[in-house]
């Protein structure tokens, strides 16, 4: 089990939140904050992030896969995550590169647990199998009312399989995310994502600066 701690050379930061929370927009802000400190950064996303993972992502988001059962969804997400960890995340962290990931396992607890009603103990079993002791060092949770997030993404092209869900699904997702934040107050930092972009970025910069101070950078 020696590999479990070897990834610790770099830090692993994840961004979470419902659709339209602004994670992708703010990922660039986090990246800039770290690079200003001379830190090498790799940005990536889930589901996806590796060649096999991106193929699994296509299936997961495809509206043509409507009716996929929750167990299949969870297993595909962890299959993609195993590839992502093996081929991208762990090698980067082992080299001392910091990894910034747009969504990770908190999304599985929130979407498949809070949204689809999958037992969190089943998710925890797969988390232990696929990740061992690997967990993010910092998670920024972008929180905003569901209607505001959906209004933002509604301005884009055709909805994917998740975006086609009813508002009640996303209320379940948001509630579970907030519960995760309450259970892990050290790791998960809440960002008020309903504010204008510049004000969200200011909160992000503050949280990243706090984290850098905590880890002595
Ligand atoms: N999924 C994923 C699971 O169900 N389980 C899992 O375990 C994992 C890992 C991924 C889907 O997969 C699901 C969840 C997702 O449904 P995705 O396309 O990667 O799909 O979806 P999202 O990550 O949700 O990407 P979005 O683009 O929808 O949301 P973002 O990244 O949070 O938002 P962003 O930055 O793209 O912004 C959206 C729009 O809002 C504007 C932007 O300009 C953009 O137009 N915006 C703002 N507008 C006003 N004020 C602000 N502060 C704004 N910030 C951004």
């Amino acid at each position: 089990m020696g590999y479990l701690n070897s990834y610790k050379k770099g830090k692993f930061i994840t961004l979470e939140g419902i659709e339209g929370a602004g994670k992708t927009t703010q990922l660039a802000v986090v990246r800039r904050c770290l690079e200003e400190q001379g830190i090498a950064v790799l940005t990536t996303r889930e589901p996806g992030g590796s060649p096999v993972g991106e193929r699994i992502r296509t299936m997961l988001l495809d509206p043509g896969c409507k009716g996929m059962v929750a167990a299949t969804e969870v297993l595909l997400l962890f299959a993609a995550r195993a590839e992502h960890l093996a081929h991208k995340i762990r090698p980067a962290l082992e080299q001392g590169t910091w990894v910034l990931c747009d969504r990770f396992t908190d999304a599985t607890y929130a979407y498949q647990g809070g949204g689809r009603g999958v037992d969190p103990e089943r998710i925890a079993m797969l988390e232990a199998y696929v990740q061992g002791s690997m967990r993010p060092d910092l998670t920024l949770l972008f929180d905003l009312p569901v209607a505001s997030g959906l209004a933002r993404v509604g301005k884009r092209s055709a909805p994917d399989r998740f975006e086609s869900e009813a508002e009640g699904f996303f209320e379940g997702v948001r509630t579970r995310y907030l519960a995760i934040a309450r259970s892990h107050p050290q790791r998960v930092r809440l960002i008020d994502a309903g504010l204008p972009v510049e004000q969200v970025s200011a909160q992000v910069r503050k949280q990243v600066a706090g984290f850098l101070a905590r880890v002595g950078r």
Side-chain angles (χ1 to χ4, degrees), residues 15-27 45-48 57 60-61 73 77-78 81 102-112 116 142 144 148-149 151-153 155-156 160-163 169-170 173 177 192-201:
L15 288 81
E16 296 281 0
I18 59 164
E19 327 294 301
K23 300 175 304 301
T24 311
T25 306
Q26 297 298 332
L27 196 84
R45 67 172 181 183
E46 288 215 351
R57 176 189 173 93
L60 281 163
L61 298 192
E73 204 170 272
L77 283 159
F78 273 103
R81 192 159 293 141
D102 194 338
R103 298 189 183 279
F104 195 63
T105 306
D106 290 321
T108 314
Y109 282 104
Y111 280 77
Q112 283 62 49
R116 302 245 190 265
F142 294 84
L144 82 173
S148 313
R152 286 181 191 171
V153 299
K155 292 179 191 150
R156 293 191 306 218
D160 65 34
R161 199 170 61 84
F162 289 100
E163 288 165 357
F169 172 85
F170 295 105
V173 173
Y177 265 137
D192 182 349
L195 299 172
V197 175
E198 251 324 302
Q199 292 180 36
V200 178
S201 301

Side-chain angles (χ1 to χ4, degrees), residues 17 26 41 54 62 74 94 101 132 147 165 207:
Q26 297 298 332
V41 181
E54 288 294 325
D62 181 358
V74 172
E94 281 164 9
C101 192
E165 292 291 341
Q207 288 298 342

Side-chain angles (χ1 to χ4, degrees), residues 82 88 131-132:
K88 200 160 180 183
Q131 296 170 222

Side-chain angles (χ1 to χ4, degrees), residues 59-137:
M59 227 187 308
L60 281 163
L61 298 192
D62 181 358
C65 292
K66 192 166 187 268
M68 180 188 293
V69 299
T72 309
E73 204 170 272
V74 172
L75 291 167
L76 285 175
L77 283 159
F78 273 103
R81 192 159 293 141
E83 288 291 313
H84 197 196
L85 282 164
H87 296 296
K88 200 160 180 183
I89 298 177
R90 281 191 198 284
L93 293 173
E94 281 164 9
Q95 280 180 4
T97 298
W98 288 33
V99 176
L100 284 186
C101 192
D102 194 338
R103 298 189 183 279
F104 195 63
T105 306
D106 290 321
T108 314
Y109 282 104
Y111 280 77
Q112 283 62 49
R116 302 245 190 265
V118 174
D119 181 348
E121 283 185 20
R122 288 184 194 270
I123 298 173
M125 259 166 42
L126 289 165
E127 183 181 34
Y129 175 47
V130 169
Q131 296 170 222
S133 65
M134 168 79 160
R135 300 289 181 276
D137 296 294

